[in-house]
Amino acid sequence: MQLPKLNLVVFTFGNVSAADRELGVFAIKPSGVPYEDLSPEKMVIVDFDGNIIEGTLRPSSDTKTHAVLYKQCEGIGGICHTHSTYATAWAQSHRDIPIYGTTHADHNTVDIPCAPPMSDEMIKGDYEYQTGFQILNCMQERGLNYKDLEMILIGNHAPFSWGKTAEKAVYNSAVLETIAQMALLTEQINPQVARLKEALIRKHHERKHGPDSYYGQ
């Protein structure tokens, strides 16, 4: 229910899921239900193969994508998918989001990747299932680890984010949208802007996430 409050979705767009690794299941938003009508009882419980275990409503149309990520990435506990304006615009443009400033570096040390658009063969197959592998294949090709980078764009589609909890996944979606907006404005102000230098990337990321981090309480 944070998604519309954070202006990450409109109407019934988007979805969030939360996994229970011990039970081998995850809860996900029901498809097409307005956010203001959601309740715990309306969540749908499915296993990591996408089979419905509990619930009377149809699960999100993106359920199989979530299932693939949970099954292939044991450290993921929550997933968020939005069609937030700025991140989706970068995805539709087939562009990675370059790391231009310390806001980006506080969360990632690399450009946020945009996975290539899906092939016709994959589209004609099990589309949502293949979307999960579209994400995983891009991460593998870029030499990226899902534990270090918790967000991605899908070409022609929109962003996905994840984390150890559903709350962290939503946080990452909000961060991604903010970074996407800042990057667009940066390029508009200075089309020749340079990527953030490595020393600042390391300094800002390590002060939050490094072994000698000193950000926060």
Side-chain angles (χ1 to χ4, degrees):
M1 294 179 76
Q2 279 188 285
L3 298 190
K5 292 177 182 177
L6 294 170
N7 294 318
L8 298 175
V9 300
V10 296
F11 302 114
T12 61
F13 292 16
N15 42 73
V16 179
S17 66
D20 186 318
R21 288 285 173 182
E22 291 185 5
L23 296 177
V25 299
F26 62 96
I28 192 165
K29 175 186 177 291
S31 180
V33 176
Y35 283 86
E36 61 269 22
D37 294 339
L38 293 177
S39 67
E41 295 75 23
K42 290 181 180 177
M43 297 300 107
V44 186
I45 310 300
V46 301
D47 65 19
F48 294 156
D49 290 314
N51 301 307
I52 298 175
I53 302 300
E54 184 180 316
T56 58
L57 299 176
R58 184 183 301 163
S60 164
S61 58
D62 297 301
T63 294
K64 288 186 179 180
T65 306
H66 291 239
V68 167
L69 295 178
Y70 284 128
K71 195 167 185 178
Q72 300 294 324
C73 307
E74 293 183 359
I76 293 179
I79 297 170
C80 180
H81 173 50
T82 75
H83 284 243
S84 59
T85 302
Y86 291 92
T88 300
W90 283 88
Q92 291 179 171
S93 301
H94 301 182
R95 282 195 62 191
D96 298 352
I97 302 177
I99 183 167
Y100 285 136
T102 59
T103 309
H104 188 145
D106 280 339
H107 299 87
N108 298 304
T109 60
V110 297
D111 298 348
I112 297 166
C114 180
M118 193 180 292
S119 68
D120 289 353
E121 184 178 349
M122 292 173 74
I123 292 169
K124 291 175 183 176
D126 195 336
Y127 175 70
E128 289 78 16
Y129 177 77
Q130 294 294 347
T131 300
F133 288 99
Q134 189 181 10
I135 293 170
L136 295 173
N137 291 343
C138 177
M139 297 285 284
Q140 183 178 20
E141 289 166 4
R142 304 286 189 99
L144 300 171
N145 188 306
Y146 74 89
K147 294 180 181 179
D148 299 324
L149 180 71
E150 297 181 327
M151 54 189 69
I152 195 171
L153 307 175
I154 298 179
N156 293 135
H157 190 171
F160 273 84
S161 64
W162 51 86
K164 291 183 178 180
T165 65
E167 290 81 4
K168 183 64 187 303
V170 171
Y171 171 87
N172 285 334
S173 286
V175 167
L176 173 55
E177 178 66 359
T178 300
I179 290 171
Q181 183 177 11
M182 289 177 174
L184 173 64
L185 293 173
T186 299
E187 290 192 355
Q188 289 177 335
I189 295 168
N190 180 6
Q192 284 76 46
V193 64
R195 191 173 182 272
L196 186 64
K197 60 183 181 180
E198 195 64 27
L200 274 174
I201 293 173
R202 293 297 164 191
K203 180 63 176 179
H204 271 263
H205 196 262
E206 289 178 8
R207 72 175 190 161
K208 259 192 165 184
H209 308 285
D212 299 317
S213 61
Y214 55 89
Y215 176 88
Q217 300 304 313

